[in-house]
Structures are given as structure tokens and as C-alpha cells.
């Protein structure tokens, strides 16, 4: 019998975070979250990454961070910190392919999750290769949460698949519904398809042909297709709990709305906007991607998101829900 490679999907089975795999170490202390952070990821790295790591550690005493990159890029700053913080942040000596090394740390069980503000394509490719994709998922989806006038909306994809086909967007609908149910406890999630109007036939060829398939598509957690939605529906948040689109359009919408909210305030004056970070859904591990232009607080928020998802075993729960919905043992 062939021994499964750590971090990859065993054929015909769902490989989920937290599962016991030959040779993989288990997490030690309950509540502890070991996060590998790409030290060179982001436009202002490494300074902004170190700043975010320090903020995250000060806010969460159970974090253990490994900054993956050249050791001398952070050592001087870390040496000036209090011993309690300094003990919980270590560095590696990885001069190149820092995101690949961070992914490998998760695949080998040395970290529970990873955070990167580096090149999205490199992160997605490394995660798919080293962690493995879930059965049926050809293109993992970056999944973000946006504040709306009615609450929050889950938007995917926001940068992973810029030229998807119908099968990819159908999978995004499944992934989004499962994410809404598991992470945000949304009962019977409503899934909308983003386009330029709500009348039948609106949009490009892909969006004109997809609604018929989505109407008949079984979605996890009792989810249902809610029809076409426009950009205004994303801001209002009343038409759908999950909005599905391609990575190109989703990324443009995400950055436009985040900039607008930064200038004018979030809808309904929400004091707790979601983090400016996205979870990569469809791979067997917790992978959080921040903007390339992320600030220290953004990196800290991404680390906090990764830690929370790990502690709640969210990725495993999403995979299990999809597995049960599709009838995979």
C-alpha cells in the first residue's frame, strides 16, 4: 500500500486539517495556534510583517509565530522586545521562496496555518501542490467577508481564478455556502451570482449560461441559489449571504469597496469590520492571504483570523460538510 504524502489529498477521501496522518505531529496545547508568516510577503515587507506579528502576539498570549524569511530581517526588532513576546516569535533563515517554505511548514505539521501578503498566484500554487486540493476542486477560491448595510456578505473568488469556467463557479457556490454555514452560522445560505443586472440573460456568456445550473445544484447546509445580484446588492447585503464571481471581478470589487469604506466608513457605521484578508478554500490546510498593500494592523488581523479558524477547526468542518453533502465516505 502506498503511504500517503503528508499534506496531500488521499484519493477518494477528504484530507482535513487536524486529521492524523502517518508521520505528522499533532498540536500540543489546546488553544495554542502556531502560525507560519511569510516574512517577505507584501509591498512593505519585512517591516510591516514584523509590526503585524508583534501586534498579534501582544493581543493573543497563546500565539506562536514563525516568521519565514531571512533571519536578519527581523532579529534586530525582535531582540528589543520583552522576553514574553520574544519567546513566541521565532525566525527561519529562508532567503528565497518564503511562501513555499511557509506552506511546507503546514504540510509537515510544524505549523497549524500560514499567513502571507505575498504574490497570490505563488501562494495558491504552493498551497495546492504541497497541501493538496479537495476532491473535485480544480481551482481553490479566495474567500473574503465584506460589511454590508444588513450585516456581512461572503464574496468569492477575490483573486485566485481570474478566468474560471462554469464548473469552477459551481464549486465556488458550494464552497461559499459551506463557509457561510460553518464559520458564520448562516442557516440555509442564499447564494447569488454577481453580474450587471438582475434580469435573466444579463452578463457575459459564462453568466448567461450558469444560472440554470445553479438552480439545480445541490448546496451544502440547505443552501439555495438566490439568483443574479449586482454590485449594489453586495453593499446592501439583503439579496444574498454568499456572492459568487470570478477572481478578476471579485478582486476589483473588493478593493474598490474597501477603499470606499476606508474613506467614508463602513455601512451602518459598523465598528467591527471584517479583516482585510481572505481564506483559501479548497486546499487541505488553513491558508490566509492578505493584500499586498497590507498594513501592520492588516497583517495582525490576518494572523488572528488564521488562529481563530485553526482553533475552531473550521477548514476540517467545511471539508466534512462538503464530503457529507456529496456523499463521499
Amino acid at each position: 500500500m502506498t503511504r500517503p504524502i503528508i499534506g496531500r489529498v488521499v484519493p477518494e477521501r477528504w484530507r482535513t486539517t487536524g486529521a492524523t496522518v502517518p508521520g505528522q505531529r499533532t498540536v500540543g496545547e489546546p488553544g495554542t495556534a502556531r502560525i507560519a508568516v511569510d516574512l517577505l510577503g507584501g509591498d512593505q515587507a519585512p517591516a510591516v510583517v514584523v509590526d503585524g506579528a508583534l501586534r498579534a502576539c501582544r493581543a493573543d498570549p497563546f500565539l506562536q509565530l514563525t516568521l519565514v524569511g531571512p533571519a536578519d530581517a527581523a532579529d534586530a526588532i525582535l531582540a528589543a522586545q520583552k522576553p514574553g513576546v520574544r519567546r513566541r516569535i521565532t525566525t527561519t533563515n529562508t532567503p528565497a521562496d518564503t511562501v513555499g517554505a511557509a506552506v511546507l511548514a503546514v504540510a509537515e505539521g510544524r505549523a497549524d496555518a500560514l499567513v502571507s501578503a505575498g504574490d497570490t498566484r505563488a501562494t495558491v500554487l504552493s498551497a495546492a501542490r504541497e497541501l493538496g486540493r479537495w476532491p473535485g476542486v480544480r481551482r481553490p477560491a479566495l474567500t473574503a467577508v465584506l460589511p454590508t448595510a444588513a450585516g456581512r456578505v461572503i464574496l468569492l473568488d477575490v483573486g485566485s481564478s481570474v478566468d474560471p469556467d462554469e464548473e469552477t463557479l459551481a464549486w465556488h457556490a458550494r464552497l461559499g455556502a459551506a463557509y457561510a454555514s460553518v464559520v458564520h452560522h448562516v442557516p440555509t445560505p442564499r447564494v447569488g451570482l454577481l453580474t450587471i443586472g438582475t434580469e435573466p440573460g444579463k452578463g457575459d456568456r459564462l453568466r448567461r449560461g450558469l444560472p440554470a445550473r445553479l438552480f439545480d445544484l445541490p448546496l451544502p447546509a440547505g443552501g439555495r441559489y438566490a439568483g443574479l445580484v449586482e454590485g449594489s446588492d453586495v453593499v446592501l447585503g439583503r439579496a444574498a449571504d454568499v456572492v459568487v464571481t470570478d477572481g478578476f471581478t471579485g478582486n476589483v470589487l473588493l478593493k474598490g469597496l474597501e477603499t470606499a469604506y476606508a474613506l467614508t466608513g463602513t455601512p451602518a457605521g459598523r465598528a467591527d469590520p471584517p479583516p482585510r484578508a481572505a481564506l483559501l478554500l479548497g486546499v487541505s490546510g488553513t491558508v490566509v492571504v492578505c493584500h499586498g498593500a497590507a498594513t501592520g494592523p492588516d497583517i495582525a488581523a490576518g494572523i488572528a483570523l488564521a488562529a481563530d479558524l485553526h482553533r475552531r477547526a473550521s477548514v476540517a468542518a467545511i471539508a466534512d460538510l462538503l464530503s457529507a453533502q456529496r456523499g463521499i465516505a
Side-chain angles (χ1 to χ4, degrees):
M1 179 177 177
T2 303
R3 183 179 179 179
I5 300 174
I6 296 173
R8 296 189 186 277
V9 178
V10 180
E12 303 305 320
R13 297 195 54 158
W14 291 84
R15 164 82 167 83
T16 58
T17 302
T20 301
V21 177
Q24 183 168 350
R25 292 163 50 190
T26 56
V27 178
E29 296 296 326
T32 298
R34 305 167 301 161
I35 313 297
V37 184
D38 178 6
L39 183 57
L40 299 186
D43 299 342
Q44 304 299 321
V48 72
V49 178
V50 177
D51 178 37
L54 291 172
R55 290 172 183 265
C57 269
R58 289 166 184 155
D60 184 345
F62 299 103
L63 274 180
Q64 295 178 6
L65 304 183
T66 299
L67 305 184
V68 182
D72 58 0
D75 282 351
I77 299 175
L78 295 180
Q81 305 304 312
K82 294 180 179 180
V85 171
R86 194 166 64 242
R87 280 194 298 268
R88 293 189 290 117
I89 304 179
T90 60
T91 58
T92 66
N93 192 17
T94 309
D97 192 18
T98 51
V99 69
V103 171
L104 194 60
V106 176
E108 294 179 345
R110 293 179 284 111
D112 302 313
L114 74 96
V115 174
S116 177
D119 180 79
T120 297
R121 184 173 182 272
T123 304
V124 173
L125 290 176
S126 292
R129 181 180 64 249
E130 300 296 340
L131 301 176
R133 293 185 294 268
W134 293 340
V137 177
R138 291 188 296 114
R139 297 186 180 185
L142 280 172
T143 307
V145 180
L146 283 170
T148 73
R152 298 186 179 190
V153 67
I154 295 158
L155 178 66
L156 71 166
D157 182 22
V158 295
S160 177
S161 300
V162 298
D163 55 351
D165 54 15
E166 283 193 10
E167 179 65 17
T168 299
L169 291 188
W171 260 104
H172 289 178
R174 296 185 185 100
L175 294 169
Y179 181 89
S181 173
V182 169
V183 177
H184 294 282
H185 310 292
V186 178
T188 59
R190 301 165 299 158
V191 178
L193 177 64
L194 184 66
T195 187
I196 57 175
T198 58
E199 304 87 357
K202 283 286 188 177
D204 58 12
R205 180 180 299 177
L206 176 61
R207 285 152 183 86
R208 291 197 300 270
L210 191 59
R213 181 172 184 177
L214 293 180
F215 269 119
D216 296 328
L217 183 70
L219 295 175
R224 63 180 179 85
Y225 175 58
L228 302 176
V229 297
E230 299 179 87
S232 57
D233 295 314
V234 176
V235 177
L236 295 174
R238 291 191 282 267
D241 306 299
V242 177
V243 173
V244 170
T245 190
D246 62 275
F248 181 90
T249 304
N251 191 273
V252 171
L253 176 62
L254 174 71
K255 290 179 178 176
L257 287 178
E258 285 182 339
T259 302
Y261 294 158
L263 294 173
T264 64
T266 56
R270 294 184 63 90
D272 59 338
R276 298 179 66 211
L279 172 66
L280 183 64
L281 277 178
V283 299
S284 297
T286 302
V287 179
V288 171
V289 177
C290 298
H291 291 305
T295 63
D298 292 334
I299 297 291
I303 293 171
L305 173 63
D308 180 62
L309 292 169
H310 163 68
R311 287 167 175 150
R312 296 165 60 189
S314 297
V315 172
I318 292 168
D320 288 344
L321 180 58
L322 287 164
S323 172
Q325 191 263 331
R326 297 184 72 224
I328 300 177

